[in-house]
Amino acid sequence: MNTPRKCRRTGYVILFTGVVLFALGLYPRNFGGRANVFLVIVSLIIIAASVMWMVKKVRCPHCGALLHLKLYNIDVCPYCGKNTDNS
């Protein structure tokens, strides 16, 4: 089982990949009309999947509370006060 920190990092990598694809899809001279629409749709799906991943996986292993998805330090759960490492 991964730590919440690793799951959040994975979610951000997926999120930024979606944002890059979205930017490529909005730039009109990259590919063509249908390819740009396809890139925008795929990027929105990737962005939604990354948010759902982080909401599902970035939780305290002790109390199950959702930890901050922002770039805060999540070594200690703000709800139960326990260490978020799985050891």
Side-chain angles (χ1 to χ4, degrees), residues 18-31 35-36 39-40:
V19 169
V20 167
L21 288 177
F22 187 78
L24 287 174
L26 288 181
Y27 191 67
R29 295 186 185 175
N30 275 347
F31 304 106
N36 284 354
L39 272 178
V40 168

Side-chain angles (χ1 to χ4, degrees), residues 4 54-68 77-80 84:
M54 287 192 286
V55 167
K56 183 178 177 183
K57 294 288 187 175
V58 183
R59 295 192 173 267
C60 175
H62 303 287
C63 67
L66 179 65
L67 298 173
H68 295 291
C77 176
Y79 302 103
C80 68
T84 58

